[in-house]
């Protein structure tokens, strides 16, 4: 496929390495701001595993609410973190992609910034100005800021920590940060070539383009990552393409289900810093505070989320008249 006719029902599922001519055709439909060519993803940490005896909530100079968790470092702690960072092993570029670094101009990986000098990070993403550590009453030597994700419940993004380090080493480096010593990471940082659209600007939860409703997107190019996520969005886009062909309205699965929460993310994430997502529990609607107090164990909360998700998904299939065809399919298997 080299072009897209917005008047024809079309599912675009060309993946992260969509061919040149098709990428240009997509660019014409989305406009410049709608298409990305690389990922620069910061690690995301499970908020429940941050040690808030050390980390504290505050914004620089007290401005802009307290959506930031701050992990303060003294000089010695910074030294330990720095040594771990510069000795960590980076991912090698894929063969033939050695010049991919050019895509990342203006968005350097944190290990590269560190190599420029011992204090570069303290004047960049780890600058401590405008922050006071409540434990000492003083400005820390350096700070790691974590921003609360707006759709991922209980998840925090390490601001400016995009990196190219192997996952094992990344965990080791990140766990030298005071407050994150025993933290669990929902996703590690990555920087790689990836063609994907800015879905929150362009797509509805049905995976149709807002401007061109006969054109649907699925798979990694729609802003997801992973095998099951690619299949799930492929299924929704395929079902909706068929519904449009039959003169029916397109439909989106409920947010309570895993697939529903994925398409909800695509349509409703913050467009400005949009980054591709995997399916995680953090994508599902968060528990109400009261219920959360009642169900203390994380494993129990996850079980309840799964049960609710499956129930909501089955109800949705009934409503749109797809349950019989799917159960026939399951029986045939
Ligand atoms: C090395 C590596 C390891 C991975 N490991 C995992 C893993 O362990 N688990 C996991 O969940 N995910 C993994 N992933 C991610 C996963 O592979 C992708 O997210 C997923 O395969 C994307 O599926 P897709 O259908 O969107 O794209 P793709 O699988 O890339 O399929 C897109 C298809 O469209 C075709 N195409 C492109 N342009 C055109 C055109 N103009 N006309 C017609 N066809 C076109 C391509 O040739 C391709 O066949 C890995 C990815 C990589 C690179």
């Amino acid at each position: 496929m080299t072009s897209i006719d917005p008047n024809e029902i079309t599912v675009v599922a060309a993946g992260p390495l969509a061919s040149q001519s098709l990428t240009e055709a997509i660019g014409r439909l989305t406009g410049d701001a709608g298409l990305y060519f690389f990922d620069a993803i910061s690690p995301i940490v499970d908020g429940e595993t941050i040690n808030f005896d050390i980390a504290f909530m505050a914004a620089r100079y007290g401005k802009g609410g307290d959506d930031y968790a701050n992990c303060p470092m003294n000089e010695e702690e910074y030294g330990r973190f720095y040594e771990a960072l510069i000795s960590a092993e980076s991912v090698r570029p894929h063969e033939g992609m050695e010049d991919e670094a050019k895509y990342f101009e203006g968005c350097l990986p944190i290990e590269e910034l560190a190599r420029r000098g011992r204090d570069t990070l303290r004047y960049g993403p780890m600058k401590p100005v405008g922050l006071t550590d409540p434990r000492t009453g003083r400005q820390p030597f350096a700070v790691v800021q974590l921003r609360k994700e707006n759709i991922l419940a209980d998840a925090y993004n390490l601001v400016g920590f995009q990196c190219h380090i192997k996952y094992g080493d990344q965990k080791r480096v990140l766990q030298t940060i005071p407050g994150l010593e025993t933290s669990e990471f929902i996703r590690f940082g990555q920087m790689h070539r990836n063609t994907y659209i800015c879905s929150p600007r362009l797509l509805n939860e049905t995976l149709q383009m807002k401007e061109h409703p006969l054109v649907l997107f699925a798979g990694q190019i729609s802003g997801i990552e992973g095998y099951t996520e690619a299949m799930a969005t492929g299924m929704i886009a395929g079902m909706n393409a068929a519904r449009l062909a039959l003169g029916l309205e397109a439909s989106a699965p409920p947010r309570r289900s895993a697939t529903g929460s994925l398409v909800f993310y695509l349509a409703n994430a913050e467009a400005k810093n949009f980054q591709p997502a995997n399916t995680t529990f953090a994508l599902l609607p968060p528990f109400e505070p009261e219920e959360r107090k009642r169900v203390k164990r994380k494993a129990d909360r996850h079980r309840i989320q799964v049960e609710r998700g499956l129930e909501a998904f089955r109800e949705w299939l009934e409503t749109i008249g797809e349950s019989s065809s799917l159960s026939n399919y399951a029986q045939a298997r």
Side-chain angles (χ1 to χ4, degrees):
M1 299 296 293
T2 54
S3 61
I4 300 169
D5 178 354
N7 300 312
E8 292 262 2
I9 299 172
T10 308
V11 176
V12 184
L17 304 174
S19 64
Q20 184 65 27
S21 46
L22 185 65
T23 304
E24 284 165 15
I26 296 168
R28 284 194 290 277
L29 284 188
T30 60
D32 281 349
L35 198 56
Y36 297 110
F37 296 101
F38 68 89
D39 281 341
I41 295 177
S42 297
I44 294 181
V45 65
D46 178 347
E48 270 192 58
T49 64
I50 299 173
N51 179 359
F52 279 103
D53 290 338
I54 296 175
F56 60 96
M57 300 300 295
R60 273 185 220 287
Y61 302 109
K63 286 182 192 157
D66 60 355
D67 276 354
Y68 287 91
N70 301 278
C71 295
M73 288 184 187
N74 61 30
E75 190 166 358
E76 193 189 329
E77 287 161 341
Y78 180 77
R80 251 199 314 271
F81 164 79
Y82 181 79
E83 293 304 326
L85 180 60
I86 56 166
S87 61
E89 200 180 336
S90 292
V91 180
R92 282 174 189 281
H94 296 297
E95 215 169 301
M97 299 271 212
E98 289 81 0
D99 65 345
E100 75 178 14
K102 71 171 188 270
Y103 292 97
F104 306 134
E105 270 165 30
C107 188
L108 287 170
I110 190 148
E111 67 277 17
E112 180 57 37
L113 278 177
R115 282 191 198 102
R116 297 185 171 192
R118 198 175 176 88
D119 282 327
T120 311
L121 292 173
R122 291 209 311 120
Y123 292 97
M126 292 176 71
K127 62 177 180 282
V129 293
L131 291 165
T132 305
D133 183 349
R135 285 183 311 159
T136 61
R138 287 200 307 272
Q139 178 176 300
F141 186 74
V143 163
V144 177
Q145 279 209 305
L146 293 88
R147 194 183 56 217
K148 205 165 178 4
E149 290 275 329
N150 61 346
I151 289 188
L152 298 170
D154 287 333
Y156 287 79
N157 189 310
L158 277 74
V159 181
F161 265 56
Q162 62 274 0
C163 62
H164 219 201
I165 303 171
K166 289 193 169 169
Y167 287 178
D169 271 18
Q170 221 177 111
K171 186 172 178 194
R172 190 172 56 76
V173 173
L174 297 174
Q175 288 186 334
T176 65
I177 298 171
L180 304 187
E181 290 91 342
T182 55
S183 284
E184 286 171 26
F185 294 91
I186 292 171
R187 190 173 64 186
F188 285 107
Q190 293 173 32
M191 295 185 80
H192 60 96
R193 230 189 112 183
N194 188 8
T195 309
Y196 65 100
I197 59 170
C198 181
S199 296
R201 233 192 281 273
L202 301 166
L203 296 189
N204 289 320
E205 285 169 44
T206 54
L207 301 180
Q208 293 169 281
M209 287 188 87
K210 290 174 187 162
E211 293 267 315
H212 307 287
L214 296 185
V215 180
L216 303 98
F217 277 79
Q220 195 159 328
I221 200 162
S222 70
I224 57 86
E225 250 172 29
Y227 300 147
T228 50
E229 291 84 345
M231 288 188 278
T233 49
M235 180 182 78
I236 300 304
M239 280 167 71
N240 279 334
R243 290 177 74 80
L244 294 176
L246 293 168
L248 299 169
E249 247 183 61
S251 180
R255 174 150 189 228
R256 279 194 164 185
S257 64
T259 304
S261 66
L262 196 60
V263 295
F264 180 87
Y265 176 83
L266 290 179
N268 297 290
E270 196 188 330
K272 192 163 157 248
N273 297 310
F274 179 62
Q275 294 186 337
N278 287 104
T279 300
T280 64
F281 279 100
L283 271 187
L284 292 166
F287 273 66
E288 295 296 327
E290 277 308 306
E291 195 174 20
R292 201 189 162 105
K293 267 191 229 150
R294 236 179 320 122
V295 191
K296 292 208 168 54
R297 285 183 56 223
K298 202 193 223 179
D300 289 335
R301 289 204 296 271
H302 284 176
R303 183 180 43 75
I304 292 171
Q305 283 177 300
V306 168
E307 285 166 5
R308 285 179 181 164
L310 287 171
E311 192 190 332
F313 198 76
R314 278 193 207 106
E315 269 172 23
W316 173 68
L317 289 176
E318 294 277 347
T319 322
I320 60 164
E322 289 284 354
S323 58
S324 56
S325 56
L326 277 185
S327 61
N328 287 345
Y329 172 74
Q331 271 167 17
R333 298 271 297 166

